[in-house]
Amino acid sequence: MSRMIRAETIRKVREVVAHARAAGRLISFVPTMGALHAGHAALLGAARADGAFTVVSIFVNPTQFGPSEDFASYPRDAEGDLRLCKQHGVDLVFLPSATEMYPHAPLTSVSVDRLTRHLCGPHRPGHFAGVATVVLKLLNIVTPDVACFGQKDAQQLAVVRRMVADLDLPVRIAGVPTVREADGLAMSSRNRRLSAVDREQALCLVRALREAERMARDGVREVADIEARMREVVRAAGPSTIDYVSVVDCDELQPIDRIHGPALAALAVRIGATRLIDNLVIGPPPDPPAATGTRPTRTDREPS
Ligand code: PAF
């Protein structure tokens, strides 16, 4: 197994990637904020799939946190992260400092409209502009052929896909299915901060989503009914603050009144000091295209 290279500067990343590309390797990329877990391991598995030269960035990006958010307390575990990257055959880890990424206060930012108007957008002003801008910077630094993002952050994935399409970036964005604990809790770096009691209560997110899925399967079409039931499930689990519970269309993440085809059920709930999000595609699969179409199965479904 070849040695894992560690880079702290943009210059070194560019040199190493140019070398790998000159040797005929495809470049794959997994951007992260560290505190890596099994969900990230799935991203690394997808990134390495075709024997690509795999680059991981670990950078807790300050510009995507609001002033009252958890930037300072966001979990950090550089040693554990490097160990996991090594175990998963990562070729290059980029660990920039904030001054390497932002040597001066940036005057340029990317904002993706419409897709950010609902779900987390109104609750985290500036968050998606921070994400889109840092992802664009990272894509320009790493110049990957493919970049992998988790479906757990469905809105982020949709925003990145749209930015890549709108700006003609020469990269393929791969969406990787959410990895869950045995009891259904979606893997998240923020789960590390849950107490045992909070951890139990946090299951209300996946319970609410599965209830939405069951209702849609049983033929309920009114979104208001599904959202009301999801709220009940969350409230029944204990005291929490619901940022939102929403069923939106899978393409542009806009609110819908009735379910006609696949829809995205999503929610954000604060349990204690920890804000958790999760989502699931619910509803009937889309009609197959006339004549030659194959009908997608539930496992084919991606949020966007
Ligand atoms: O999903 C994350 O960890 C972050 O939002 C990302 C994509 C690495 C940008 O900072």
Side-chain angles (χ1 to χ4, degrees):
M1 204 185 8
S2 61
R3 192 171 64 88
M4 184 171 86
I5 303 168
R6 185 179 159 155
E8 262 114 44
T9 63
I10 294 170
R11 188 190 166 128
K12 180 156 180 189
V13 172
R14 290 205 164 119
E15 270 171 27
V16 174
V17 168
H19 196 260
R21 187 162 270 136
R25 304 284 298 275
L26 277 181
I27 311 297
S28 66
F29 178 43
V30 179
T32 81
M33 297 207 299
L36 304 182
H37 49 68
H40 292 108
L43 295 175
L44 297 180
R48 291 186 60 225
D50 303 321
F53 184 88
T54 304
V55 184
V56 171
S57 63
I58 299 177
F59 178 59
V60 185
N61 171 41
T63 69
Q64 67 189 76
F65 290 81
S68 58
E69 292 186 353
D70 58 350
F71 173 67
S73 62
Y74 193 84
R76 288 163 171 88
D77 176 14
E79 269 184 30
D81 292 346
L82 288 169
R83 218 175 310 119
L84 187 132
C85 286
K86 204 163 190 166
Q87 275 163 11
H88 286 82
V90 170
D91 296 290
L92 170 62
V93 183
F94 179 37
L95 294 139
S97 64
T99 39
E100 180 70 8
M101 289 298 284
Y102 302 108
H104 32 247
L107 299 179
T108 308
S109 85
V110 183
S111 71
V112 178
D113 198 0
R114 193 163 168 83
L115 301 186
T116 56
R117 284 194 200 151
H118 302 284
L119 307 182
C120 289
H123 298 274
R124 302 192 69 188
H127 169 70
F128 287 112
V131 169
T133 307
V134 79
V135 169
L136 179 57
K137 280 166 72 70
L138 290 165
L139 292 174
N140 281 335
I141 293 165
V142 177
T143 64
D145 299 288
V146 54
C148 302
F149 291 81
Q151 287 170 9
K152 153 104 182 343
D153 297 308
Q155 193 169 18
Q156 168 172 285
L157 175 59
V159 163
V160 169
R161 282 200 160 128
R162 188 59 188 251
M163 173 183 75
V164 163
D166 286 352
L167 300 182
D168 301 306
L169 304 181
V171 60
R172 181 170 72 79
I173 301 300
V176 177
T178 303
V179 179
R180 297 181 181 281
E181 306 272 6
D183 59 9
L185 183 70
M187 299 268 182
S188 163
S189 302
R190 290 186 169 99
N191 291 352
R192 293 183 186 211
R193 297 210 314 247
L194 296 169
S195 68
V197 174
D198 291 348
R199 167 72 183 70
E200 184 57 32
Q201 188 180 340
L203 289 173
C204 68
L205 280 89
V206 67
R207 273 196 214 117
L209 291 169
R210 288 185 175 155
E211 182 67 359
E213 185 182 41
R214 183 198 61 75
M215 289 174 81
R217 197 172 47 239
D218 289 352
V220 179
R221 293 289 166 259
E222 286 298 326
V223 163
D225 295 342
I226 294 176
E227 290 176 349
R229 179 68 194 123
M230 288 174 73
R231 283 174 185 277
E232 269 174 26
V233 172
V234 172
R235 289 201 187 103
S240 63
T241 307
I242 298 178
D243 268 7
Y244 64 82
V245 158
S246 286
V247 178
V248 295
D249 77 80
C250 286
D251 298 325
E252 296 209 321
L253 312 182
Q254 300 301 299
I256 50 176
D257 293 333
R258 286 180 63 78
I259 296 187
H260 299 291
L264 186 76
L267 73 175
V269 179
R270 293 170 199 267
I271 295 173
T274 310
R275 182 179 187 274
L276 299 173
I277 59 171
D278 200 354
N279 67 81
L280 201 62
V281 177
I282 64 169
D287 289 334
T292 56
T294 50
R295 200 171 173 82
T297 64
R298 295 191 79 75
T299 50
D300 289 324
R301 304 203 295 173
E302 277 199 24
S304 56

